[in-house]
Amino acid sequence: MSAEGAQAGIPPVRRRFREGTTAAELKAYMTPFVAVLGYKFNTDEEFVRLVLEGELEVLAQTGDIYCPCRIRTGDPKEDVRIVCPCIPFHRSQFAGMRKCWCGLFIRADVDDGSELLGVIEEPEGPVEVPVARAGDMRDGEARRVTIGKRDIAVFRVDGEFFALSNVCRHAFAPLSEGFMDGYTVMCPWHGWRYDVRDGTTDHPDSDVKSYPVAVRDGEVFVTV
Ligand code: SF4
Ligand code: FES
């Protein structure tokens, strides 16, 4: 799967690995993939080695890199949710936990991943979810992201970032495919206009939800 696919929330295509794949090859494959999702490998290298070896054992048994810590159902559609890295499927939970279930991956803004080993509680309340590298989006660009079940459009205008529900209130077109003009996005289907700063439109009772956005260390976070 491409990095763009991961970013757009498109479910990952299962990739089969050949027999004899090494931990170093897995690591090299996963590193750019998880980077666009705002994650990196745990800083505890011994722990990473152990988990990757677990994945390689599963690979030898099943032909795919299922999570070593979770139980497969045998239904490929269900089990694709635990092919590693499974971050796109569990994005909102992992964002709050600041790591994936296993701790193989931690959020890019965590310095010491060893502090998070063994933490499995999901937080309550709002969570900040990394959605893009600031430098990966140009001014006037919009990008679709999914966080849990939420369909969100992220916009960049004059170096600032904004996030709205991606669903136009007229006939549900994706606003991330709309046309940008300054702080306005025009719906691609019938031209309704929304202010990307707050989701307002001049159609009565039709504003779309806006989400708080923060940028830290070159990473864009949306709070849901
Ligand atoms: S929980 Fe972590 S180690 Fe397990 S499949 Fe997901 S990303 Fe991989
Ligand atoms: S669907 Fe957006 S204007 Fe019609």
Side-chain angles (χ1 to χ4, degrees), residues 141-172:
E141 184 179 338
R143 180 175 284 186
R144 179 185 178 204
V145 299
T146 51
I147 302 177
K149 292 183 178 156
R150 293 177 187 84
D151 190 1
I152 294 175
V154 177
F155 305 92
R156 176 173 163 155
V157 181
D158 259 346
E160 278 187 277
F161 291 84
F162 306 94
L164 301 181
S165 161
N166 190 36
V167 183
C168 178
R169 293 287 301 276
H170 177 222
F172 317 124

Side-chain angles (χ1 to χ4, degrees), residues 30 51 55 65-70 81-87 90 94 100-105:
M30 290 171 171
V51 177
E55 294 198 358
I65 46 170
Y66 290 107
C67 188
C69 312
R70 300 164 74 193
R81 296 162 62 85
I82 59 169
V83 171
C84 193
C86 66
I87 296 166
H90 307 286
F94 291 173
C100 72
W101 302 121
C102 298
L104 178 61
F105 301 109

